[in-house]
Amino acid sequence: MLKSCVLVPVLPTILPMKYDPVDEGNRLHMTCGSMSGDQPINTYWVKDGKKLVTTSRIKVIEVGGVHMLYINSVLAKDAGTYVCAANNSAGEVRETVYLFVYGKIIG
Protein backbone atom coordinates (compact mmCIF):
# COMPACT_ATOMS: atom_id res chain seq x y z
CA MET A 1 0.00 0.00 0.00
CA LEU A 2 1.34 3.41 -0.98
CA LYS A 3 1.14 6.23 1.50
CA SER A 4 1.22 9.83 0.44
CA CYS A 5 2.50 12.82 2.33
CA VAL A 6 1.38 16.37 1.99
CA LEU A 7 3.95 18.98 2.91
CA VAL A 8 2.39 22.14 4.21
CA PRO A 9 4.65 25.20 4.23
CA VAL A 10 5.15 26.80 7.65
CA LEU A 11 4.81 30.58 8.07
CA PRO A 12 7.71 32.46 9.62
CA THR A 13 7.27 33.61 13.21
CA ILE A 14 8.52 36.87 14.67
CA LEU A 15 9.01 37.58 18.35
CA PRO A 16 7.70 40.95 19.55
CA MET A 17 10.05 43.80 18.70
CA LYS A 18 11.86 45.50 21.54
CA TYR A 19 13.29 48.99 21.81
CA ASP A 20 13.52 51.82 24.29
CA PRO A 21 12.08 55.25 23.43
CA VAL A 22 14.90 57.50 22.36
CA ASP A 23 15.87 61.14 22.69
CA GLU A 24 16.68 63.10 19.55
CA GLY A 25 20.40 62.87 18.83
CA ASN A 26 20.86 59.50 20.55
CA ARG A 27 21.31 56.08 18.96
CA LEU A 28 18.42 53.63 18.44
CA HIS A 29 18.70 49.84 18.42
CA MET A 30 15.52 47.93 17.51
CA THR A 31 15.45 44.13 17.35
CA CYS A 32 13.20 41.83 15.34
CA GLY A 33 14.22 38.33 16.17
CA SER A 34 14.14 34.60 16.40
CA MET A 35 12.26 33.82 13.26
CA SER A 36 11.35 30.25 12.43
CA GLY A 37 9.48 28.72 9.51
CA ASP A 38 10.28 27.15 6.20
CA GLN A 39 13.34 28.52 4.44
CA PRO A 40 14.10 30.65 2.62
CA ILE A 41 12.73 33.51 4.71
CA ASN A 42 12.95 37.06 3.35
CA THR A 43 12.98 39.69 6.08
CA TYR A 44 12.71 43.44 5.59
CA TRP A 45 11.86 46.64 7.47
CA VAL A 46 9.14 49.16 6.59
CA LYS A 47 8.70 52.69 7.96
CA ASP A 48 5.38 54.51 7.54
CA GLY A 49 4.32 52.15 4.73
CA LYS A 50 7.54 52.37 2.68
CA LYS A 51 10.39 49.86 2.57
CA LEU A 52 13.19 51.21 4.75
CA VAL A 53 16.26 52.32 2.85
CA THR A 54 19.61 52.01 4.59
CA THR A 55 21.87 55.06 4.66
CA SER A 56 25.07 56.09 6.38
CA ARG A 57 22.89 56.81 9.44
CA ILE A 58 20.42 53.89 9.21
CA LYS A 59 21.71 50.30 9.16
CA VAL A 60 20.08 46.87 9.18
CA ILE A 61 22.19 43.95 10.39
CA GLU A 62 21.25 40.25 10.53
CA VAL A 63 22.94 37.87 12.94
CA GLY A 64 21.65 34.33 13.42
CA GLY A 65 18.06 35.07 12.43
CA VAL A 66 17.89 38.27 14.48
CA HIS A 67 17.42 41.44 12.43
CA MET A 68 18.62 44.61 14.09
CA LEU A 69 17.84 48.15 13.03
CA TYR A 70 20.34 50.81 14.09
CA ILE A 71 19.77 54.53 13.68
CA ASN A 72 22.67 56.79 14.61
CA SER A 73 21.83 60.29 15.78
CA VAL A 74 18.04 59.87 15.77
CA LEU A 75 16.08 62.78 14.30
CA ALA A 76 12.50 63.83 14.97
CA LYS A 77 11.62 62.65 11.43
CA ASP A 78 12.62 59.09 12.45
CA ALA A 79 9.49 58.85 14.62
CA GLY A 80 6.79 56.74 13.04
CA THR A 81 5.42 53.25 12.48
CA TYR A 82 8.06 50.56 11.95
CA VAL A 83 7.26 47.09 10.66
CA CYS A 84 9.49 44.05 10.58
CA ALA A 85 8.08 41.71 7.91
CA ALA A 86 9.10 38.16 7.10
CA ASN A 87 7.79 36.07 4.24
CA ASN A 88 8.30 32.68 2.67
CA SER A 89 6.33 30.31 0.42
CA ALA A 90 3.59 30.03 3.08
CA GLY A 91 2.90 33.78 3.32
CA GLU A 92 3.92 36.83 5.32
CA VAL A 93 3.88 37.90 8.96
CA ARG A 94 4.48 41.38 10.39
CA GLU A 95 5.33 42.88 13.74
CA THR A 96 4.58 46.60 14.16
CA VAL A 97 5.71 49.22 16.68
CA TYR A 98 5.47 52.99 16.87
CA LEU A 99 8.76 54.78 17.56
CA PHE A 100 8.54 57.85 19.77
CA VAL A 101 11.40 60.33 19.53
CA TYR A 102 11.68 62.83 22.35
CA GLY A 103 12.79 66.25 21.14
CA LYS A 104 15.47 68.45 22.61
CA ILE A 105 14.36 71.15 24.99
CA ILE A 106 15.70 74.56 24.01
CA GLY A 107 15.67 77.12 26.71
Side-chain angles (χ1 to χ4, degrees), residues 9-13 35-44 62 65 67 85-93:
V10 177
L11 274 170
T13 58
M35 285 172 264
S36 62
D38 287 345
Q39 298 293 324
I41 297 173
N42 175 44
T43 303
Y44 59 95
E62 188 268 331
H67 295 261
N87 61 42
N88 64 8
S89 62
E92 182 171 274
V93 293

Side-chain angles (χ1 to χ4, degrees), residues 8-88:
V8 178
V10 177
L11 274 170
T13 58
I14 302 175
L15 293 177
M17 285 193 285
K18 295 181 180 177
Y19 82 97
D20 292 320
V22 64
D23 291 324
E24 192 173 2
N26 288 347
R27 183 176 185 187
L28 170 76
H29 171 212
M30 197 179 305
T31 302
C32 175
S34 297
M35 285 172 264
S36 62
D38 287 345
Q39 298 293 324
I41 297 173
N42 175 44
T43 303
Y44 59 95
W45 289 86
V46 174
K47 179 188 181 276
D48 296 332
K50 296 180 183 174
K51 195 166 183 177
L52 190 66
V53 176
T54 59
T55 65
S56 60
R57 200 174 57 82
I58 300 172
K59 304 284 184 210
V60 175
I61 299 169
E62 188 268 331
V63 177
V66 176
H67 295 261
M68 295 165 280
L69 171 63
Y70 291 96
I71 303 177
N72 288 316
S73 192
V74 171
L75 305 172
K77 70 178 185 177
D78 294 321
T81 303
Y82 286 79
V83 175
C84 177
N87 61 42
N88 64 8

